[in-house]
Amino acid sequence: MVIKKWRRLLLPAVIGAVVAVAPGAPSAASEAAEYERLVNGDFSSGSADPWWTGANTRGSVTGGEYCVDVTGGTANGYDALSGQNGVPYEAGQSYTLTFDARSTVEQPISAVAGEAVEPYRQIARTDVTVTPVTQTFTFTFDSTLDFPAAGNGQFAFWFGGQSFDNTVCVDNVSLVGGVLPPGGLEPAAPLRVNQVAYVPGLPKKASLATDATTPLPWTLRDSAGTSVATGQTTPLGRDAASGENVHAIDFSSFDRQGTGYTLAVGDEVSHPFDISATAMTDLRYDSLAFFYHQRSGTPIEAQYVGTEYARPAGHVNVAPNRGDDDVPCRADLNCGYTLDVRGGWYDAGDHGKYVVNGGISAWQLQNSYERAALVGDEEALGDGTLAIPERANGVPDVLDEARWEVEFLLSMQVPDGQPLAGMAHHKIHDEQWTGLPTLPHEDAQPRRLSAPSTAATLNLAAVAAQASRLWAPYDAEFSARALAAAEKAYAAAKANPNRIADPNDGTGGGAYSDPTVTDEFYWAAAELYVTTGRYRTDVEGSPLFGGESFSVRGFDWGSTGPLGDVSLLLTPGDLPTDGIRAAVLSTADAHLANMAGMGHPAPYRTADGGYEWGSNGLVANNGMVLGLAYDLTSTPKYRDGAFATMDYLLGRNPVNYSYVSGWGDQPVRNVHHRHWANQLDPSLPIAPPGALSGGPNSALQDPVAQRMLQGCPAQRCWVDHIEAYSLNEVTVNWNSALAWLSNWTAEHTVPPVSAGGCEVGYAASTWQTGLTAQLTITNTGTTAWDGWRLEFGFSGDERLQYGWSATWAQTERAMRADAVEWNKRVAPGASVTVGFNASKSGAHVAPTAFTVNGERCTTS
């Protein structure tokens, strides 16, 4: 399901000097080209986007027109306005504005071209009178200012300055002019790599966009520019997702650790990267730090984030805030009570807090700890690992961070004695969208609760039940309170199974409407079963039991069934989980099959091949499925797929960006966020390290995307722009996916062998067209190996046929053997024996140079 989470920019009133423009006057400027500069001027899609409304206005598309309800009693025209941003203007060029307009009651309006930010300079303004009869207006003007596409140019209608309420409708709004063609795809450098690091002992692959149809020579260079490895690219053909002809580069056989490596093909040189077992491990902590930055109701302190990112507490009744301690329902709901909903995480780049998005995010943080405690590295997420106020309290820091959100979820529950007691309100946010930038403590908007929903209630039930079992060893009172709230919520949801959030409740915050809650019922029942041992009938009675929720699209806030499956798989009790296990593995296999045919592999596929809002979050969640498949089987292909997912997110993608701020040579900077708004206000910071951009969205659901990326192939529908909210937003649920995956990959790096050495014995029996070889690998050091990779090379045309006692692979003349589960641990002085069969045509020369985990071995 496509995320319907709109962002409109509420801009300050345009107050520049009035410029009178005569209708129909010829322009002295050069004749304008026939380039349309407004987006969605005919409203044929049924949506108003990217038209926004400001204070005292509410707009919607009705009968094919864009109709704006205007509140009376305002003093100035700009006190009630609607428009769109990012409109390009060229100084000295002519523009023709045409629109149809009518109103319920006759009134004057203004059409204004100008600047969207201070000093709010005007280019042109015309005043007309609209009546109940539709009229067509046409005006021509010359621009005196330059604004690029997706820049600070704006077109707006002013409807204010009247004493009475009214409705004004416009249609066929067109602005034609200028000589520069509309923006297109920005060129991206053709050689794409993981800009952070590749891990010794794991695959190392890159992508090259090129018109060449035959293999090309590549060179791997160290930081001094010295060639350390060479090879040939592998042509893959036309890549649908990027719209490019792509070659793959595989330099997996090179494992020497170092910094500043680059790949080169001809004159093209990649961004630098490391080969390191540790370079990516701290990403788990930066990705988790995102959540402290997003906390509401508490100051973000410099001692944890640095002075650049420190800020006062938001929404705590310090002017101009209204505060979150006494929030009423929306006026039309008349719920008769207020709630204290301080705390929690701001969902994204705005100041809303949403139960359904907060639910999956808190679950994913808690699950990362639960999984690590059961099958991974629990200490890496323990107390003192994060820079948060709760460190050193004896509780794992990731649970402390998740609790900040869980406490908020509990506060959203309808109180006892009310008609919907036990249900959870869907969300709380501002009455109107705030502008960019607006720091949380500067937000002056009233705060309102939306109606309770079944989906929100089940999110609360699931996450609180999960929290109860994880907190039992640390805080018995909280554990009991969370479980009581979870069971109350689940019972309330069963009594009210069809309360669906209003899909049109999108003013001031995202709607987050989900018409199907079968998955939420299953998820909540599964979490309650794992925690209590009860609710088995509800789990087994669900049509989703047994892994039926998994898909190659992936899971997210609107598709939560797999969350219940994961909890059941990790802590199954006496329920059969064979079906869930099979679903995880078959889905992981489908991801790998899809990735094998991609020029820039990412585990994600939709029915039409498009990429949707938040595609990077889905990619990361599908990387989680690959990681779980490896946890279940120890099969290297799943591990390699999870790391390939990180490659995509960290730069091996067709826009050649790392989608994670602060990580990589060219990382995202200008995420859609009201505080990290350096692009609009240089005194504010860019995104801190560890924030995941939403990623490509081929639906182009914001004006910047629509102006700059028309016709883009799916994986190229992205730009690093703060107002490209459908591409470059950040959210808690995408970052929770990144945090889970980055913690998993940090656990599964292969460390180098300790100094002390290795010895390899090689013996081969040959015949005219082939050979059988046996190798004995001995640990001659003093430290046990917990995993190993053997590498060597042939000098002739030998080709691997099959091998045993290891996972074998060949790249050109380079051979690689990875340990399997039963022989990966080799004690000091111990040996393992492996072998293979190969074909050949000439004489076989036994190899003499062997490495284990990158270290040169002696031979015997």
Side-chain angles (χ1 to χ4, degrees):
M1 127 179 206
V2 175
I3 297 175
K4 297 290 186 182
K5 185 163 180 255
W6 305 98
R7 291 286 182 275
R8 296 176 176 83
L9 309 183
L10 175 60
L11 300 178
V14 178
I15 56 174
V18 173
V19 178
V21 181
S27 169
S30 59
E31 184 175 352
E34 294 295 312
Y35 292 134
E36 176 59 60
R37 303 304 184 179
L38 297 180
V39 176
N40 191 26
D42 62 2
F43 310 101
S44 58
S45 68
S47 168
D49 282 277
W51 295 85
W52 46 260
T53 53
N56 305 306
T57 56
R58 185 183 294 269
S60 62
V61 176
T62 305
E65 299 177 300
Y66 178 50
C67 294
V68 180
D69 296 328
V70 184
T71 301
T74 57
N76 306 292
Y78 52 73
D79 290 335
L81 70 168
S82 178
Q84 62 178 256
N85 298 324
V87 181
Y89 296 104
E90 301 162 50
Q93 296 301 321
S94 177
Y95 295 81
T96 298
L97 171 67
T98 305
F99 62 93
D100 300 337
R102 65 178 180 86
S103 59
T104 302
V105 179
E106 181 176 312
Q107 76 158 81
I109 67 171
S110 302
V112 183
E115 187 172 23
V117 297
E118 288 185 319
Y120 309 118
R121 295 168 292 176
Q122 285 189 9
I123 296 171
R125 166 178 162 179
T126 186
D127 302 325
V128 301
T129 298
V130 292
T131 69
V133 177
T134 300
Q135 302 173 74
T136 298
F137 301 94
T138 301
F139 306 95
T140 301
F141 62 89
D142 296 339
S143 179
T144 56
L145 300 173
D146 274 311
F147 293 113
N152 290 328
Q154 181 188 81
F155 173 79
F157 288 110
W158 295 4
F159 301 127
Q162 310 304 311
S163 61
F164 50 87
D165 294 351
N166 204 0
T167 299
V168 181
C169 299
V170 298
D171 195 7
N172 300 315
V173 188
S174 171
L175 180 65
V176 173
V179 297
L180 295 178
L185 287 175
E186 293 185 2
L191 193 45
R192 293 95 186 233
V193 298
N194 179 327
Q195 297 173 19
V196 177
Y198 294 91
V199 177
L202 298 183
K204 303 168 192 67
K205 297 181 180 180
S207 300
L208 173 70
T210 174
D211 292 333
T213 57
T214 57
L216 298 172
W218 57 261
T219 302
L220 177 65
R221 300 170 181 164
D222 64 17
S223 58
T226 302
S227 173
V228 294
T230 59
Q232 296 280 315
T233 65
T234 300
L236 302 177
R238 190 72 174 173
D239 178 50
S242 67
E244 300 169 318
N245 189 64
V246 179
H247 291 206
I249 298 171
D250 188 342
F251 56 106
S252 302
S253 60
F254 187 86
D255 266 341
R256 187 187 307 155
Q257 297 199 70
T259 62
Y261 287 105
T262 55
L263 278 170
V265 178
D267 293 333
E268 300 295 341
V269 181
S270 73
H271 289 292
F273 55 87
D274 296 351
I275 296 178
S276 169
T278 59
M280 290 200 301
T281 56
D282 283 348
L283 177 54
R284 60 179 159 198
Y285 301 125
D286 279 356
S287 59
L288 286 169
F290 174 89
F291 297 91
Y292 177 67
H293 283 279
Q294 293 291 105
R295 286 189 185 187
S296 174
T298 188
I300 304 306
E301 299 181 54
Q303 63 177 309
Y304 305 115
V305 299
T307 56
E308 185 178 17
Y309 294 100
R311 60 170 173 80
H315 301 99
V316 289
N317 282 320
V318 176
N321 275 176
R322 306 296 181 92
D324 280 356
D325 65 331
D326 193 30
V327 180
C329 294
R330 266 187 4 231
D332 58 305
L333 299 177
N334 298 315
C335 62
Y337 56 85
T338 64
L339 292 181
D340 181 347
V341 291
R342 287 173 291 180
W345 299 319
Y346 297 121
D347 174 65
D350 62 340
H351 302 139
K353 299 186 290 190
Y354 308 88
V355 171
V356 295
N357 217 35
I360 185 175
S361 307
W363 179 90
Q364 210 152 24
L365 263 61
Q366 293 183 149
N367 179 261
S368 67
Y369 175 77
E370 185 165 40
R371 181 211 147 268
L374 293 168
V375 298
D377 182 4
E378 180 179 6
E379 291 184 3
L381 297 175
D383 191 27
T385 56
L386 299 181
I388 58 175
E390 296 84 0
R391 65 187 308 172
N393 67 350
V395 177
D397 284 350
V398 69
L399 294 186
D400 282 323
E401 187 58 68
R403 180 170 175 171
W404 191 264
E405 179 70 6
V406 175
E407 292 279 16
F408 160 73
L409 299 180
L410 300 182
S411 74
M412 292 287 280
Q413 203 159 24
V414 176
D416 290 341
Q418 298 296 329
L420 294 174
M423 295 286 283
H425 286 270
H426 198 69
K427 55 181 181 165
I428 177 256
H429 55 64
D430 294 332
E431 258 191 1
Q432 298 287 334
W433 288 107
T434 54
L436 276 75
T438 304
L439 271 68
H441 67 284
E442 297 171 344
D443 178 11
Q445 281 285 325
R447 308 279 278 176
R448 296 291 182 263
L449 294 166
S450 290
S453 72
T454 306
T457 304
L458 292 166
N459 268 259
L460 188 159
V463 175
Q466 180 196 35
S468 176
R469 66 178 178 266
L470 294 175
W471 275 89
Y474 305 107
D475 187 334
E477 184 279 328
F478 174 64
S479 173
R481 178 161 55 90
L483 181 58
E487 295 196 284
K488 180 188 292 185
Y490 189 69
K494 293 187 77 171
N496 298 274
N498 298 306
R499 287 192 172 270
I500 305 302
D502 181 1
N504 297 311
D505 183 13
T507 300
Y512 279 111
S513 182
D514 182 0
T516 303
V517 294
T518 307
D519 51 330
E520 282 86 359
F521 270 111
Y522 175 63
W523 173 31
E527 298 296 344
L528 283 162
Y529 167 76
V530 172
T531 299
T532 69
R534 303 189 300 276
Y535 302 91
R536 175 170 179 159
T537 300
D538 288 9
V539 174
E540 291 186 300
S542 170
L544 302 182
F545 178 58
E548 296 298 324
S549 298
F550 285 96
S551 73
V552 290
R553 174 193 174 267
F555 60 87
D556 60 6
W557 66 268
S559 179
T560 58
L563 310 187
D565 284 328
V566 171
S567 290
L568 290 172
L569 202 56
L570 289 172
T571 54
D574 58 355
L575 267 177
T577 57
D578 291 349
I580 300 173
R581 176 189 170 93
V584 169
L585 298 184
S586 64
T587 304
D589 286 335
H591 288 317
L592 295 178
N594 292 335
M595 294 167 75
M598 300 178 73
H600 305 84
Y604 170 66
R605 189 185 71 192
T606 59
D608 63 0
Y611 273 48
E612 62 196 274
W613 197 319
S615 64
N616 279 347
L618 289 159
V619 166
N621 281 333
N622 291 334
M624 174 179 166
V625 173
L626 289 163
L628 288 168
Y630 183 79
D631 285 346
L632 293 173
T633 66
S634 297
T635 302
K637 65 178 181 179
Y638 300 127
R639 175 200 61 201
D640 296 350
F643 276 90
T645 303
M646 292 297 287
D647 290 346
Y648 172 82
L649 296 175
L650 294 174
R652 190 189 174 194
N653 55 64
V655 297
N656 201 30
Y657 267 79
S658 167
Y659 287 121
V660 180
S661 58
W663 284 78
D665 196 50
Q666 182 169 270
V668 59
R669 292 170 51 90
N670 302 307
V671 301
H672 181 76
H673 199 275
R674 281 159 174 74
H675 178 195
W676 309 328
N678 178 268
Q679 188 176 7
L680 298 177
D681 182 346
S683 70
L684 294 174
I686 61 171
L692 178 65
S693 167
N697 176 7
S698 48
L700 304 181
Q701 291 167 276
D702 64 71
V704 171
Q706 291 163 5
R707 293 183 199 286
M708 299 182 69
L709 299 172
Q710 288 294 332
C712 56
Q715 280 189 343
R716 296 186 67 195
C717 296
W718 183 86
V719 64
D720 186 18
H721 195 292
I722 191 171
E723 294 184 59
Y725 48 84
S726 73
L727 318 176
N728 210 28
E729 186 176 29
V730 292
T731 70
V732 287
N733 65 310
W734 304 335
N735 244 75
S736 63
L738 175 65
W740 197 104
L741 181 60
S742 60
N743 181 66
W744 189 94
T745 53
E747 287 184 357
H748 290 82
T749 56
V750 179
V753 179
S754 300
C758 50
E759 181 181 87
V760 176
Y762 181 91
S765 300
T766 65
W767 58 95
Q768 186 174 0
T769 59
L771 66 101
T772 296
Q774 180 170 290
L775 299 92
T776 301
I777 309 163
T778 302
N779 178 357
T780 60
T782 58
T783 303
W785 302 344
D786 189 17
W788 50 265
R789 168 173 285 184
L790 169 70
E791 293 177 293
F792 58 95
F794 293 130
S795 58
D797 66 351
E798 295 89 343
R799 298 301 302 172
L800 175 69
Q801 299 300 300
Y802 61 89
W804 52 89
S805 299
T807 301
W808 288 90
Q810 182 175 8
T811 304
E812 299 180 0
R813 293 181 175 180
M815 291 285 288
R816 183 177 77 238
D818 288 316
V820 291
E821 186 65 24
W822 58 268
N823 67 6
K824 69 178 184 179
R825 183 169 178 82
V826 185
S831 301
V832 292
T833 300
V834 300
F836 64 89
N837 278 4
S839 63
K840 66 178 183 67
S841 61
H844 171 63
V845 178
T848 57
F850 301 91
T851 64
V852 170
N853 289 353
E855 284 198 5
R856 185 69 176 263
C857 302
T858 60
T859 57
S860 61

